[in-house]
Amino acid sequence: MQLELLFKVLVVGDLGVGKTSIIKRFVHQVFSQHYRATIGVDFALKVLHWDKDTVIRLQLWDIAGQERYGNMTRVYYREAVGALVVFDVTRASTFEAVLKWKDDLDSKLTLNHGRPVPAVLLANKSDQIACQLPKLDSFGRENGFVGWFETSAKENTNIEEAVRCLVEHILNNE
Ligand code: GDP
Ligand code: MG
Protein backbone atom coordinates (compact mmCIF):
# COMPACT_ATOMS: atom_id res chain seq x y z
CA MET A 1 0.00 0.00 0.00
CA GLN A 2 1.22 3.47 -0.88
CA LEU A 3 0.65 6.27 1.53
CA GLU A 4 -0.70 9.43 -0.09
CA LEU A 5 -0.28 12.66 1.78
CA LEU A 6 -1.56 16.12 0.92
CA PHE A 7 0.41 19.03 2.36
CA LYS A 8 -0.63 22.65 2.10
CA VAL A 9 2.44 24.88 2.12
CA LEU A 10 2.35 28.68 2.17
CA VAL A 11 4.84 30.85 0.33
CA VAL A 12 5.02 34.28 1.96
CA GLY A 13 7.21 37.36 1.79
CA ASP A 14 7.15 40.90 0.45
CA LEU A 15 6.15 41.87 -3.06
CA GLY A 16 8.76 41.11 -5.72
CA VAL A 17 10.99 38.82 -3.65
CA GLY A 18 10.38 35.94 -6.09
CA LYS A 19 7.59 33.88 -4.52
CA THR A 20 5.83 33.21 -7.82
CA SER A 21 9.15 32.58 -9.55
CA ILE A 22 10.15 30.02 -6.93
CA ILE A 23 6.85 28.17 -7.30
CA LYS A 24 7.04 28.22 -11.13
CA ARG A 25 10.61 27.01 -11.02
CA PHE A 26 9.85 24.22 -8.59
CA VAL A 27 6.63 23.06 -10.20
CA HIS A 28 7.15 23.78 -13.90
CA GLN A 29 10.95 24.12 -14.23
CA VAL A 30 10.67 27.54 -15.84
CA PHE A 31 11.81 31.07 -15.10
CA SER A 32 10.60 34.36 -16.54
CA GLN A 33 11.37 38.01 -15.80
CA HIS A 34 7.70 38.83 -16.08
CA TYR A 35 5.06 37.20 -13.99
CA ARG A 36 1.94 39.23 -13.88
CA ALA A 37 0.82 39.84 -10.36
CA THR A 38 -2.23 37.66 -10.17
CA ILE A 39 -4.86 38.90 -7.83
CA GLY A 40 -5.90 36.87 -4.86
CA VAL A 41 -4.56 33.49 -3.94
CA ASP A 42 -3.23 30.97 -6.37
CA PHE A 43 -1.86 27.54 -5.79
CA ALA A 44 0.20 25.03 -7.68
CA LEU A 45 0.38 21.31 -7.16
CA LYS A 46 3.53 19.22 -7.27
CA VAL A 47 3.53 15.47 -6.79
CA LEU A 48 6.60 14.14 -5.01
CA HIS A 49 7.42 10.45 -5.16
CA TRP A 50 9.02 10.71 -1.77
CA ASP A 51 9.98 7.10 -1.19
CA LYS A 52 8.67 3.71 -2.32
CA ASP A 53 5.82 3.84 0.19
CA THR A 54 4.95 7.53 0.09
CA VAL A 55 3.53 9.94 -2.46
CA ILE A 56 3.23 13.55 -1.37
CA ARG A 57 0.94 16.04 -3.04
CA LEU A 58 2.37 19.41 -2.26
CA GLN A 59 0.03 22.36 -2.61
CA LEU A 60 2.06 25.55 -2.81
CA TRP A 61 -0.07 28.57 -1.98
CA ASP A 62 1.07 31.80 -3.57
CA ILE A 63 -0.16 35.20 -2.52
CA ALA A 64 -0.48 37.96 -5.00
CA GLY A 65 -1.32 41.59 -4.65
CA GLN A 66 -1.86 41.16 -0.93
CA GLU A 67 1.75 41.34 0.17
CA ARG A 68 1.49 45.03 0.84
CA TYR A 69 -0.87 44.39 3.73
CA GLY A 70 1.90 42.39 5.40
CA ASN A 71 -0.48 39.74 6.64
CA MET A 72 -3.05 37.38 5.29
CA THR A 73 -6.49 36.24 6.26
CA ARG A 74 -7.05 33.15 8.33
CA VAL A 75 -8.61 31.38 5.35
CA TYR A 76 -5.28 31.49 3.60
CA TYR A 77 -3.55 29.96 6.61
CA ARG A 78 -6.15 27.33 7.37
CA GLU A 79 -4.78 23.78 7.48
CA ALA A 80 -1.37 24.72 6.19
CA VAL A 81 1.36 22.48 7.55
CA GLY A 82 4.45 24.44 6.57
CA ALA A 83 5.74 27.65 5.03
CA LEU A 84 8.48 29.11 2.91
CA VAL A 85 9.34 32.65 3.99
CA VAL A 86 11.11 34.46 1.17
CA PHE A 87 13.16 37.64 1.02
CA ASP A 88 15.26 39.27 -1.70
CA VAL A 89 18.98 39.53 -0.85
CA THR A 90 19.27 42.73 -2.88
CA ARG A 91 16.67 44.60 -0.79
CA ALA A 92 17.23 44.93 2.95
CA SER A 93 13.64 46.03 3.56
CA THR A 94 12.40 42.61 2.43
CA PHE A 95 14.73 40.97 4.93
CA GLU A 96 13.44 43.23 7.70
CA ALA A 97 9.93 42.10 6.80
CA VAL A 98 10.80 38.43 7.36
CA LEU A 99 10.04 38.55 11.08
CA LYS A 100 6.73 40.24 10.44
CA TRP A 101 5.78 37.39 8.11
CA LYS A 102 7.00 34.80 10.60
CA ASP A 103 5.03 36.44 13.43
CA ASP A 104 1.91 36.61 11.30
CA LEU A 105 2.32 32.93 10.50
CA ASP A 106 2.86 31.92 14.12
CA SER A 107 -0.06 33.99 15.38
CA LYS A 108 -2.55 32.54 12.90
CA LEU A 109 -1.38 28.99 12.58
CA THR A 110 -0.34 26.32 15.05
CA LEU A 111 -0.25 22.56 14.88
CA ASN A 112 -2.57 20.45 17.02
CA HIS A 113 -0.13 20.31 19.88
CA GLY A 114 0.27 24.09 19.80
CA ARG A 115 3.68 24.15 18.20
CA PRO A 116 4.41 26.52 15.31
CA VAL A 117 4.34 25.06 11.80
CA PRO A 118 7.77 24.48 10.33
CA ALA A 119 9.06 27.40 8.28
CA VAL A 120 12.10 27.55 6.01
CA LEU A 121 13.78 30.85 5.19
CA LEU A 122 14.74 31.53 1.57
CA ALA A 123 17.31 34.21 0.77
CA ASN A 124 16.34 34.53 -2.88
CA LYS A 125 18.05 36.15 -5.88
CA SER A 126 21.38 34.85 -4.62
CA ASP A 127 22.60 35.11 -8.24
CA GLN A 128 22.67 38.89 -7.65
CA ILE A 129 24.95 41.05 -5.51
CA ALA A 130 23.53 40.96 -1.99
CA CYS A 131 23.24 43.93 0.32
CA GLN A 132 24.69 43.88 3.83
CA LEU A 133 22.74 41.32 5.87
CA PRO A 134 23.19 39.48 9.17
CA LYS A 135 24.45 35.91 9.05
CA LEU A 136 21.66 33.72 7.78
CA ASP A 137 22.26 30.70 10.02
CA SER A 138 22.30 32.50 13.35
CA PHE A 139 19.33 34.61 12.26
CA GLY A 140 17.42 31.54 11.17
CA ARG A 141 18.20 29.57 14.29
CA GLU A 142 17.38 32.44 16.67
CA ASN A 143 14.06 33.10 15.00
CA GLY A 144 12.68 29.60 14.94
CA PHE A 145 13.18 28.61 11.32
CA VAL A 146 13.80 24.91 10.70
CA GLY A 147 16.14 25.67 7.80
CA TRP A 148 17.57 28.48 5.67
CA PHE A 149 18.87 28.50 2.11
CA GLU A 150 20.35 30.92 -0.36
CA THR A 151 18.19 30.35 -3.41
CA SER A 152 17.90 31.52 -6.97
CA ALA A 153 14.75 30.88 -8.94
CA LYS A 154 16.62 32.21 -11.95
CA GLU A 155 19.50 29.76 -11.76
CA ASN A 156 17.58 27.00 -10.02
CA THR A 157 19.74 27.00 -6.93
CA ASN A 158 18.69 25.32 -3.68
CA ILE A 159 14.95 25.42 -4.27
CA GLU A 160 14.50 21.65 -4.25
CA GLU A 161 16.77 21.43 -1.21
CA ALA A 162 14.69 24.01 0.65
CA VAL A 163 11.43 22.25 -0.14
CA ARG A 164 12.91 18.90 0.80
CA CYS A 165 14.03 20.29 4.16
CA LEU A 166 10.53 21.64 4.79
CA VAL A 167 8.84 18.38 3.82
CA GLU A 168 11.13 16.39 6.13
CA HIS A 169 10.06 18.59 9.03
CA ILE A 170 6.41 18.33 8.06
CA LEU A 171 6.70 14.55 8.00
CA ASN A 172 8.22 14.58 11.48
CA ASN A 173 5.06 16.29 12.70
CA GLU A 174 2.70 13.74 11.12
P1 GDP B 1 6.71 37.84 -6.10
O1 GDP B 1 6.03 39.17 -6.12
O2 GDP B 1 7.29 37.56 -4.75
O3 GDP B 1 5.82 36.73 -6.58
O4 GDP B 1 7.95 37.93 -7.09
P2 GDP B 1 8.07 37.43 -8.61
O5 GDP B 1 8.22 35.96 -8.65
O6 GDP B 1 7.00 38.03 -9.43
O7 GDP B 1 9.49 38.04 -9.01
C1 GDP B 1 9.73 39.45 -9.04
C2 GDP B 1 10.85 39.76 -10.02
O8 GDP B 1 12.07 39.19 -9.54
C3 GDP B 1 10.63 39.16 -11.40
O9 GDP B 1 11.09 40.08 -12.37
C4 GDP B 1 11.47 37.91 -11.39
O10 GDP B 1 11.90 37.56 -12.69
C5 GDP B 1 12.63 38.31 -10.51
N1 GDP B 1 13.24 37.17 -9.81
C6 GDP B 1 12.61 36.22 -9.08
N2 GDP B 1 13.48 35.33 -8.59
C7 GDP B 1 14.70 35.71 -9.01
C8 GDP B 1 16.03 35.21 -8.83
O11 GDP B 1 16.28 34.19 -8.16
N3 GDP B 1 17.05 35.92 -9.40
C9 GDP B 1 16.82 37.04 -10.15
N4 GDP B 1 17.89 37.66 -10.67
N5 GDP B 1 15.60 37.55 -10.34
C10 GDP B 1 14.55 36.90 -9.77
MG1 MG C 1 3.82 36.81 -7.14
Side-chain angles (χ1 to χ4, degrees), residues 123-142:
N124 193 44
K125 307 196 190 181
S126 63
D127 57 283
Q128 307 267 74
I129 293 167
C131 58
Q132 195 76 36
L133 295 166
K135 271 212 173 324
L136 203 58
D137 56 351
S138 42
F139 177 85
R141 197 172 300 116
E142 281 160 20

Side-chain angles (χ1 to χ4, degrees), residues 13-22 31-37 62-63 67 86 88 124-128 151-155 159:
D14 276 4
L15 186 67
V17 296
K19 299 179 299 297
T20 303
S21 301
I22 286 166
F31 178 78
S32 154
Q33 305 283 358
H34 312 285
Y35 288 123
R36 263 181 297 145
D62 199 0
I63 51 172
E67 294 99 328
V86 187
D88 172 350
N124 193 44
K125 307 196 190 181
S126 63
D127 57 283
Q128 307 267 74
T151 62
S152 167
K154 185 176 184 184
E155 296 185 342
I159 291 171

